[in-house]
Amino acid sequence: MRFPRSQLPEASVELTPLIDVVFLLLIFFMVSTTFTRETQLTIDLPEAAADASAESPTDLIEVLISANGEYAINGRALVNNQPETVRLALEELAAGDFGLPLVISADASAAHQSVVTVMDVAGRLGFARMRITTVQPAR
């Protein structure tokens, strides 16, 4: 006796559920990913032909860095060159107004790390208006 064979359905992959799962995974990773905001500092370099600044000396904070890495903020020397000391001095002078311009004047032979330390501390505090003073080379 011959039994009829049952027809097997044609094998196919449904793409609609697959696309739904991919989109759900995409949304999950977009929502759960934390984006770290790197500290970005805007530095305005003074131009040689520009007029004198309209800001008075009381409207800004000036950080002086000596050749051996000692700091002075608005003419007051700091007790040491630790980042925590710089942070406390900047917070005290700013009194919560971190929109004040910050001018960094470093000796030409000062270590690069000293300047980067001041910029890093100021950036973490929220100072966005920073300048580095330079002199025009003699011709």
Side-chain angles (χ1 to χ4, degrees):
M1 178 176 239
R2 288 186 76 166
F3 293 108
R5 288 191 160 184
S6 61
Q7 293 289 334
L8 294 175
E10 185 177 323
S12 66
V13 176
E14 291 291 327
L15 290 180
T16 305
L18 181 67
I19 292 172
D20 289 343
V21 169
V22 169
F23 279 130
L24 286 174
L25 286 173
L26 178 67
I27 291 171
F28 171 76
F29 285 120
M30 286 175 47
V31 170
S32 65
T33 302
T34 57
F35 295 101
T36 57
R37 193 180 127 219
E38 297 295 326
T39 305
Q40 297 178 354
L41 303 175
T42 304
I43 300 172
D44 299 324
L45 295 177
E47 296 178 12
D51 295 331
S53 177
E55 298 167 344
S56 67
T58 59
D59 293 343
L60 58 89
I61 297 174
E62 184 174 14
V63 179
L64 301 173
I65 304 172
S66 69
N68 55 356
E70 296 173 356
Y71 299 113
I73 299 180
N74 280 0
R76 289 183 17 204
L78 299 182
V79 292
N80 59 30
N81 57 359
Q82 298 299 316
E84 183 64 22
T85 307
V86 176
R87 183 185 66 78
L88 291 172
L90 288 176
E91 281 180 343
E92 178 184 327
L93 284 174
D97 183 13
F98 298 113
L100 289 172
L102 181 74
V103 178
I104 301 172
S105 300
D107 189 275
S109 58
H112 184 68
Q113 180 61 50
S114 300
V115 178
V116 170
T117 299
V118 171
M119 292 173 68
D120 183 48
V121 168
R124 289 177 190 226
L125 287 174
F127 285 95
R129 296 174 58 196
M130 278 193 235
R131 292 187 292 224
I132 296 178
T133 55
T134 59
V135 293
Q136 185 177 19
R139 291 186 177 174

